[in-house]
Amino acid sequence: MGVGIAYVDGPRLARSIYAASDWVAAGRDEINRINVFPVPDGDTGTNFSLTLRAVADALRVLGDAPLGATAQAMARAAVMGARGNSGMMLAHFLLGFSEGIGARASATATEVAGAIRTGVTRLYAALDDPREGTILTVAREVAEAAERAAGDSPDIGEFMRRMHAEGELALARTPELLAVLKEAGVVDAGGKGFIRMIEGVVRFIDGDPILAVDPGYTGEFAIPAAEAEVAADRDFQYCTEVLVKGEQLPTANEARTALRVFGGSVVVAVAADLLKAHVHTDTPDAVFTLVSGWGVLEKTKAEDMRAQHRGLKHGVQKGVAIVADSSADLPDAVLDRHGIHLVPLQIIIGGETFQDRLQLHPEEFYRRMRTSAELPTTSQPTVGDFVRVYRNARHEADEVVAVLLSSALSGTYQSGAAAIRAGGLTNVRLFDSRSASLGLGLLALRAAELAEQDWPAQAIVEELRRVRAQSGVLLTVDRFDNLLRSGRVTKGKAWLGGLLDVKPILSLDDQGRVVPVDRVRGRENVVPKVLSLLERRLTPRPRTIRFGIVHAEAPEVAERVRTALVAAYQPRDCFVSLATGVLGTHVGEGAWAVFYQIEDGTPPAPPNPRRPA
């Protein structure tokens, strides 16, 4: 038994959430397997786990903080990171929990019980159609158990054990309250995720280890989610989510009313200037159009639940999952649409270390760089981060292809290889992009498209090699101190160092190293020169080409280049991205680049035993 704990403070709460997140992640496959309500799409465990992991990640960024600030950070992170119905419900619970904690620096068992009750009240109020036998019932009975336990003992450890024990009993009763659960012979998946979260905290208090599980599952067993039928009134095609940011957002009730016309399972959470909405619908684009009128769309998602259910029925797992590192510079919407996993590099700025894109978004990076006394630096992802992302990818696919930053520019590739050995992982293939930013990103996107066409991993890697050989980049910088100090220019240091009003044009060689190409006097002549060099490289015209324009706070130039490229080449895609801190660190403000990817000559899809004849 653990020692008596008289109070909870911010650091204790954060460490408990880390343990809860790890324990839910270790059991997510079992939760997915029993997911039959509200629709049997087999992703409740994944959604609950990813939402809780977003909360844990936010607390790691926050560091040690007072209890009130920690609870507020949990609630905001849950809203931003909420995935699926179960994630939205967890977000509402944490919003209420934060409200109940208030500005306290610490809380007793009685005060924690009160916050849990507020969380449950907020959760019930958030739903159009509260159904007993779900996470609602489990959370409510946990809150009642918490109030009883707090009245019997001030020991937080004993308080948590009582909550867990009585919550398990509540979970076991859910099939008696919901016919679809009884018919499938399972308990509620969302409720199981909630109880497993509490169990993770109890294990942490008691000092029990929380071990990671191997990816996927082995052996034969039934998958109730695959056999369940979808009720007619819930048979919508897309699980749709949208995150919007604005100063004059509607209330949660107003938003729910507006969204009801599009479908069912409507859940809306509002936290300050953020609104996250979840709805099952047949018309996701109409939902996005409506919500865009409330503010700026930050993220959108529409997953085909019918396809997910068909996949469960036929035992279908993805053939290949794609991993990239955070320097890829693809928009979040593209990453989400194709399920590309990201491993974060690290940025060190102002004496602090951040995970790129996760803890430090590009806009904030440039703001910090302008005010920092020292230039920032970068570091490759940790082996632990690679292992975590590889395992997540292997949970959903038989094989993994990781498309990574040029090994000539970073130790990221080497760290990725070390993680395979350290994690004892199988069926993970690495591909050296010999590029960076959107050069890497476009290769990862092509890999994801081929994976969606059921290409096996080896064939994907071979095709990426072919595409890489006929693609390239032209890069220009506005200042030289970042690039010279980074050491990424191998042949051109003296050439760069002597420039005054002359702007360099750089590229990457066939090994992925930065090399000088040309120089132009005067900033106004750079765009015409780059377009002229591209014209030479792209003559004769490719039939299938993609462009990626990335900039370090040079949006006007990027838009000018995009307009010219679209008019001249009619590309398949032409992305424009603000460079993350990984690239911005080395090229400095005002830099921009054009990446091109030629896909002419793609061979026919290779034979794949996964594909029906």
Side-chain angles (χ1 to χ4, degrees):
M1 298 288 287
V3 264
I5 304 172
Y7 65 90
V8 175
D9 59 10
R12 284 179 174 174
L13 178 58
R15 289 193 290 272
S16 297
I17 292 298
Y18 302 155
S21 175
D22 289 344
W23 190 238
V24 170
R28 73 180 187 179
D29 283 347
E30 171 61 15
I31 299 170
N32 284 340
R33 190 177 72 84
I34 65 171
N35 170 203
V36 300
F37 183 86
V39 289
D41 48 359
D43 64 359
T44 289
T46 299
N47 290 335
F48 197 94
S49 175
L50 290 178
T51 305
L52 193 54
R53 190 175 75 190
V55 174
D57 287 344
L59 295 186
R60 289 188 176 96
V61 176
L62 180 67
D64 288 350
L67 179 62
T70 300
Q72 287 177 5
M74 288 168 57
R76 185 175 178 85
V79 172
M80 293 188 68
R83 295 279 296 263
N85 201 56
S86 60
M88 289 293 293
M89 295 175 84
L90 176 60
H92 273 291
F93 173 79
L94 292 178
L95 282 166
F97 180 82
S98 173
E99 181 184 327
I101 288 294
R104 291 183 177 89
S106 64
T108 64
T110 300
E111 290 166 337
V112 172
I116 291 171
R117 170 61 71 184
T118 305
V120 172
T121 301
R122 178 76 179 255
L123 176 55
Y124 267 86
L127 301 179
D128 275 344
D129 180 26
R131 296 290 293 271
E132 294 300 330
T134 65
I135 189 174
L136 289 171
T137 302
V138 175
R140 188 191 70 245
E141 296 198 23
V142 162
E144 293 168 359
E147 289 164 340
R148 290 191 294 270
D152 293 340
S153 171
D155 179 2
I156 296 289
E158 182 57 29
F159 168 82
M160 291 301 304
R161 293 183 200 100
R162 282 272 303 275
M163 278 174 53
H164 176 237
E166 296 193 36
E168 287 277 20
L169 295 175
L171 178 64
R173 289 191 292 269
T174 56
E176 301 303 319
L177 300 172
L178 203 56
V180 66
L181 301 179
K182 190 169 187 177
E183 183 178 345
V186 297
V187 296
D188 179 64
K192 188 172 181 67
F194 193 84
I195 292 302
R196 196 167 175 99
M197 176 178 67
I198 296 171
E199 184 181 5
V201 178
V202 171
R203 291 177 70 90
F204 169 69
I205 292 170
D206 290 344
D208 292 333
I210 296 176
L211 303 176
V213 295
D214 290 332
Y217 61 83
T218 59
E220 297 289 331
F221 53 75
I223 304 178
E227 303 304 322
E229 297 298 326
V230 184
D233 63 342
R234 296 180 181 273
D235 190 18
F236 297 101
Q237 185 166 1
Y238 297 100
C239 177
T240 302
E241 294 173 7
V242 58
L243 178 68
V244 62
K245 187 173 185 179
E247 296 300 321
Q248 295 183 317
L249 296 170
T251 66
N253 282 335
E254 290 169 340
R256 282 204 306 275
T257 300
L259 290 169
R260 273 191 211 114
V261 299
F262 298 107
S265 297
V266 178
V267 189
V268 177
V270 180
D273 60 342
L274 293 175
L275 183 149
K276 185 73 173 278
H278 167 280
V279 57
H280 291 173
T281 180
D282 292 326
T283 56
D285 287 340
V287 172
F288 300 150
T289 299
L290 170 71
V291 176
S292 67
W294 301 341
V296 178
L297 294 186
E298 298 282 317
K299 289 185 181 179
T300 61
K301 186 200 81 169
E303 291 181 345
D304 189 331
M305 296 183 293
R306 292 174 188 165
Q308 289 175 319
H309 191 227
R310 287 194 301 271
L312 288 171
K313 284 177 104 47
H314 296 94
V316 175
Q317 187 181 23
K318 283 175 64 173
V320 180
I322 305 303
V323 169
D325 62 64
S326 64
S327 72
D329 280 328
L330 284 171
D332 286 339
V334 175
L335 295 171
D336 289 344
R337 187 182 313 130
H338 295 279
I340 299 172
H341 300 254
L342 278 193
V343 185
L345 278 85
Q346 299 179 86
I347 299 172
I348 301 93
I349 185 168
E352 297 181 79
T353 301
F354 301 92
Q355 289 186 317
D356 181 42
R357 291 185 72 153
L358 298 182
Q359 299 173 347
L360 189 63
H361 294 290
E363 294 82 1
E364 176 65 10
F365 164 78
Y366 291 105
R367 188 192 68 77
R368 285 175 175 264
M369 188 167 70
R370 283 192 295 272
T371 58
S372 176
E374 297 180 358
L375 289 173
T377 58
T378 62
S379 179
Q380 68 251 30
T382 66
V383 168
D385 281 335
F386 262 116
V387 170
R388 174 178 56 81
V389 174
Y390 286 159
R391 283 183 171 158
N392 285 342
R394 282 285 282 114
H395 269 291
E396 67 179 44
D398 299 327
E399 298 180 282
V400 173
V401 172
V403 184
L404 302 177
L405 186 58
S406 171
S407 60
L409 299 177
S410 166
T412 297
Y413 187 92
Q414 288 75 17
S415 184
I420 295 173
R421 297 189 296 271
L425 299 168
T426 59
N427 292 346
V428 179
R429 296 173 184 268
L430 301 190
F431 181 77
D432 187 343
S433 70
R434 297 182 185 172
S435 190
S437 184
L438 279 172
L440 154 62
L442 292 176
L443 285 168
L445 174 57
R446 185 61 183 145
E449 291 172 342
L450 296 174
E452 289 161 6
Q453 297 169 31
D454 274 339
W455 283 44
Q458 181 57 39
I460 290 174
V461 168
E462 290 171 2
E463 175 62 5
L464 291 185
R465 286 196 192 102
R466 191 189 69 81
V467 170
R468 181 183 65 190
Q470 58 191 31
S471 303
V473 58
L474 292 171
L475 161 72
T476 182
V477 298
D478 200 52
R479 46 189 295 177
F480 312 123
D481 44 355
N482 295 65
L483 194 58
L484 289 170
R485 190 213 53 187
S486 76
R488 262 59 180 186
V489 182
T490 55
K491 297 180 180 177
K493 285 188 176 181
W495 186 82
L496 276 174
L499 300 178
L500 294 174
D501 187 37
V502 176
K503 304 301 179 187
I505 298 174
L506 310 168
S507 189
L508 296 171
D509 65 15
D510 59 5
Q511 296 302 307
R513 296 169 298 208
V514 179
V515 292
V517 172
D518 210 333
R519 59 179 88 185
V520 180
R521 185 171 296 280
R523 183 181 293 119
E524 69 281 1
N525 294 317
V526 176
V527 171
K529 186 63 176 180
V530 167
L531 293 176
S532 173
L533 289 170
L534 272 174
E535 177 72 17
R536 260 185 258 167
R537 291 189 177 195
L538 300 178
T539 300
R541 284 280 196 275
R543 292 186 304 278
T544 308
I545 189 169
R546 283 178 155 123
F547 289 110
I549 304 163
V550 67
H551 65 92
E553 296 213 309
E556 296 86 1
V557 174
E559 180 56 27
R560 179 182 167 193
V561 173
R562 186 199 69 81
T563 301
L565 294 179
V566 169
Y569 298 94
Q570 290 82 52
R572 182 175 177 184
D573 288 305
C574 189
F575 297 109
V576 176
S577 295
L578 177 63
T580 68
V582 172
L583 181 62
T585 290
H586 300 293
V587 298
E589 290 179 86
W592 57 273
V594 179
F595 294 87
Y596 59 91
Q597 179 166 290
I598 300 171
E599 296 170 6
D600 290 6
T602 298
N608 189 327
R610 291 174 49 84
R611 192 185 299 115

